[in-house]
Amino acid sequence: MSHPTLPDLLIEPVVRLALAEDLGRAGDVTAKACIPEGARMRAVFAARKPGVLAGIDCVRLAVLAMDPDASVELKLRDGDPFEVGAVLAEVEADARAFLSAERTALNLLGRLCGIATLTRAYVDAVEGTGARIADTRKTTPGLRALEKHAVLCGGGLNHRFGLDDAILIKDNHVAVCGGVGEAVRRAKAAAGHLMKVEVEVDGLDQLDEALAERPDVIMLDNFSLDDLRTAVSRVAGRVTLEASGGVNLETVRAIAETGVDVISVGALTHSAASLDIGLDAI
C-alpha cells in the first residue's frame, strides 16, 4: 500500500491561513466565554463514513498551531483505507485551543479524504485494464498541493501541477497557431530537453496531424469509444495516449478498455464531496 507524504512546509501555510480566517479579529469568542482557562480535553477524530485517508497531517498542524504542547497521536497514515467508526487521530490539548482548531482540521481532513476516496473509486473501476487515472488543474485555488496529494493517496496520478512544468497545447492554442502540427512544432522548438509536450486533439484527422510531429503525449478529447479504439490502433504505442472528457464512474471502465494509457478526470478535485468525519470528546 502506498503512503504518499507531503512536507509540513507545504501544509502549514494553508493550515495557518485557514485558522486565521476562522479566528478573525477577536479569536474564538465562544471558547473564551464557555471554557475555563487552562481546561484540558481529549478527543478523537472518527470516521462517519468509510473512505481513504488523506490530509491527516492537517489535523496535527492545526492543533499544534493553537497549542504547541498538545499531544497528537495519528492512528492511520495517508493512503490507508478505513471503515465507519475508525479513529483517525487522538488529541489531548488545552480545551480552548483545541476547540478553536477543530473546524479547520475537520474541513481540510474531510475535503482531502473525499478526494482520496473518490480517486480510489475510479482506480478500482479500471483495475486490470492497464489504464491509469490522473487529475487535472481543476483544483481549489490555494489548495492544489494538498488536493493533488490526496489524489496520490487514492492511487491516482498527478498531471502537471501548473503552467510551468509541462507544455499542454489545448484547442485555443491550436486556433491561434493555425493548426495542430504548427502548434506542436513551435512547442518542440521551444521546449528544453526535460520538458514534455502534450497536445489535445478533438478528432481522428487532428490525431494524424499531431502524430506526424511526435509529441510526447496526445490527449484525445471527448472521443467516442470507437474513435478511442481506432486512435489506440493507429498510434500503436508510439506516444502516450490520454483520454479526457465525458469521464465518470459509469463510463470510465469502457474508456479504459479501449487501450488508452491515461484517463484524466477533473471530477477528482472539482466534484469530490467532503467525507464525513467528526470530533468526539472522550
Side-chain angles (χ1 to χ4, degrees):
M1 180 183 299
S2 176
H3 293 99
T5 59
L6 198 62
D8 286 357
L9 184 66
L10 294 178
I11 307 171
E12 194 166 11
V14 175
V15 170
R16 289 189 175 275
L17 184 62
L19 286 169
E21 179 182 59
D22 214 17
L23 292 167
R25 295 168 298 173
D28 186 347
V29 294
T30 307
K32 290 177 183 177
C34 299
I35 307 299
E37 186 174 358
R40 309 288 292 179
M41 72 175 291
R42 292 176 62 213
V44 296
F45 289 82
R48 306 283 192 255
K49 297 280 183 69
V52 176
L53 188 60
I56 193 64
D57 285 310
C58 294
V59 171
R60 174 176 58 85
L61 292 171
V63 173
L64 292 177
M66 297 302 298
D67 178 7
D69 296 322
S71 170
V72 183
E73 183 180 357
L74 306 181
K75 300 293 189 178
L76 296 175
R77 298 169 64 187
D78 279 1
D80 284 339
F82 54 81
E83 298 300 325
V84 174
V87 173
L88 309 179
E90 183 174 333
V91 177
E92 191 275 330
D94 176 89
R96 286 185 179 181
F98 190 12
L99 291 172
S100 298
E102 171 189 3
R103 180 44 53 194
T104 290
L106 286 170
N107 282 350
L108 289 170
L109 185 61
R111 170 69 180 153
L112 299 177
C113 285
I115 292 172
T117 301
L118 182 60
T119 301
R120 183 65 57 83
Y122 274 91
V123 170
D124 289 347
V126 302
E127 185 176 6
T129 66
R132 302 290 302 276
I133 299 296
D135 56 25
T136 70
R137 283 170 47 245
K138 295 176 181 178
T139 55
T140 307
L143 294 183
R144 180 169 295 170
L146 274 65
E147 291 181 346
K148 281 183 170 283
H149 166 74
V151 169
L152 294 180
C153 291
L157 297 175
N158 289 152
H159 213 287
R160 60 178 179 161
F161 268 75
L163 296 172
D164 63 338
D165 60 336
I167 293 176
L168 176 46
I169 303 165
K170 304 281 282 183
D171 54 352
N172 288 327
H173 300 104
V174 169
V176 174
C177 287
V180 168
E182 178 62 20
V184 175
R185 283 190 291 274
R186 293 183 188 183
K188 292 182 72 173
H193 69 291
L194 295 180
M195 180 74 72
K196 287 196 171 185
V197 175
E198 178 174 10
V199 61
E200 175 188 276
V201 300
D202 58 18
L204 292 171
D205 55 337
Q206 285 190 331
L207 173 66
D208 292 334
E209 187 180 354
L211 192 58
E213 302 301 328
R214 297 298 297 271
D216 299 290
V217 185
I218 297 177
M219 179 189 293
L220 309 172
D221 185 47
N222 284 297
F223 273 44
S224 67
L225 293 177
D226 284 343
D227 283 352
L228 286 173
R229 283 187 283 267
T230 298
V232 169
S233 176
R234 193 174 293 180
V235 169
R238 284 177 287 172
V239 302
T240 297
L241 287 180
E242 174 186 336
S244 179
V247 183
N248 55 53
L249 283 171
E250 287 68 46
T251 64
V252 70
R253 178 78 189 187
I255 293 171
E257 288 175 341
T258 66
V260 295
D261 302 295
V262 178
I263 304 172
S264 55
V265 187
L268 300 182
T269 51
H270 73 57
S271 294
S274 290
L275 201 74
D276 191 4
I277 298 169
L279 182 70
D280 300 324
I282 55 175

